[in-house]
C-alpha cells in the first residue's frame, strides 16, 4: 500500500488516455511494439505534469530516497527534462529542496562546454530519471555522464516501465530501479 495510491491511479488513467498510442511502432531501442507510450503528451500536460512530480517524489520517499537523501534529479534530455522539472516544483510546493539537471547527449562545443546543465552535480547525490524506459540505455548513458561529472548516482526512476529489460539492465549495473507505473497499470500487459 502506497501513500499516494489515488494520485497514482489518476496518473495511470491520464497516461493511458493521453500517452498510450496503439498500433505497430518501432521504438528508439529498435524493438517493435504494438503500442507506444508518448510520455511527452503527459509530462507536458496541465494536470498530468504536476501529478507526475508528486507521484515520483512520493515513490522515491517511500524507497528511502527523500529530499534529505537526494540533492538533485534529472536525466538524458529530453525525456527526463519535464519529469525533473515536475519533481522540482512538487518538492518546492512542500517546502523541500530539490534541484534538477539536464544531461545533454553530447557536451556543447562552445560556452561552458558542459554535458550536465543546471546546478553543479559534482559531489552531490542524484537520481537519474526517464519518462519511459525500454532497454535502460538512456538512463545508463546519463549515469555515465553524471559519474564523469563527479555526481554520486543513487538510483534510476522512471514513470512507466515497459517491462522489456530496463530494470534488469540497470540493476545489473548496480543501481536500484524504481518505476511509478507498469504495463499492468495501463492495461497493456
Amino acid at each position: 500500500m502506497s501513500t499516494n495510491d489515488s494520485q497514482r491511479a489518476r496518473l495511470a488513467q491520464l497516461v493511458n488516455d493521453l500517452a498510450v498510442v496503439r498500433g505497430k511502432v518501432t521504438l528508439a531501442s529498435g524493438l517493435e511494439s504494438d503500442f507506444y507510450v508518448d510520455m511527452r503528451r503527459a509530462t507536458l500536460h496541465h494536470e498530468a505534469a504536476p501529478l507526475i512530480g508528486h507521484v515520483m517524489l512520493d515513490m522515491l520517499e517511500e524507497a528511502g530516497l527523500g529530499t534529505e537523501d537526494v540533492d538533485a534529479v534529472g536525466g538524458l534530455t529530453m525525456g527526463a527534462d519535464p519529469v525533473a522539472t515536475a519533481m522540482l516544483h512538487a518538492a518546492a510546493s512542500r517546502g523541500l529542496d530539490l534541484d534538477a539537471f539536464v544531461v545533454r547527449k553530447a557536451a556543447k562545443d562552445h560556452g561552458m562546454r558542459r554535458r550536465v546543465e543546471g546546478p553543479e552535480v559534482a559531489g552531490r547525490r542524484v537520481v537519474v530519471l526517464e519518462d519511459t524506459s525500454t532497454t535502460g540505455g538512456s538512463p545508463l548513458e546519463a549515469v555515465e555522464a553524471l559519474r564523469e561529472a563527479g555526481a554520486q548516482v543513487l538510483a534510476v526512476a522512471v514513470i512507466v516501465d515497459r517491462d522489456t529489460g530496463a530494470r534488469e539492465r540497470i540493476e545489473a549495473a548496480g543501481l536500484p530501479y524504481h518505476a511509478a507505473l507498469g504495463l499492468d497499470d495501463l492495461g497493456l500487459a
Side-chain angles (χ1 to χ4, degrees), residues 152-175:
Q152 178 188 358
V153 180
L154 302 177
V156 171
V158 302
I159 302 170
V160 176
D161 178 32
R162 292 184 56 95
D163 195 24
T164 50
R167 173 182 301 278
E168 293 79 7
R169 189 170 172 202
I170 289 165
E171 288 177 348
L175 289 167

Side-chain angles (χ1 to χ4, degrees), residues 26-178:
T26 302
L27 305 171
S29 62
L31 299 175
E32 285 202 357
S33 177
D34 292 329
F35 64 90
Y36 181 68
V37 184
D38 185 356
M39 282 303 294
R40 281 160 299 285
R41 293 180 180 191
T43 60
L44 299 171
H45 183 266
H46 68 277
E47 181 184 358
L51 201 52
I52 286 166
H54 287 286
V55 168
M56 295 293 285
L57 198 59
D58 290 344
M59 177 184 70
L60 289 178
E61 286 175 353
E62 290 170 8
L65 294 169
T67 56
E68 65 280 352
D69 305 299
V70 178
D71 300 311
V73 294
L76 198 63
T77 198
M78 107 167 242
D81 300 348
V83 183
T85 303
M87 290 181 68
L88 173 147
H89 287 291
S93 77
R94 299 176 185 187
L96 303 172
D97 296 331
L98 183 69
D99 287 333
F101 56 84
V102 173
V103 179
R104 294 177 176 276
K105 293 183 191 290
K108 291 187 342 181
D109 61 1
H110 60 284
M112 298 297 291
R113 301 173 191 249
R114 294 175 60 175
R115 181 148 186 223
V116 180
E117 298 288 358
E120 184 61 53
V121 295
R124 298 182 81 200
R125 300 162 301 174
V126 304
V127 171
V128 171
L129 304 175
E130 184 63 279
D131 54 5
T132 185
S133 194
T134 304
T135 65
S138 292
L140 288 173
E141 184 178 340
V143 166
E144 182 180 324
L146 286 158
R147 286 179 173 160
E148 287 174 8
Q152 178 188 358
V153 180
L154 302 177
V156 171
V158 302
I159 302 170
V160 176
D161 178 32
R162 292 184 56 95
D163 195 24
T164 50
R167 173 182 301 278
E168 293 79 7
R169 189 170 172 202
I170 289 165
E171 288 177 348
L175 289 167
Y177 179 86
H178 305 282

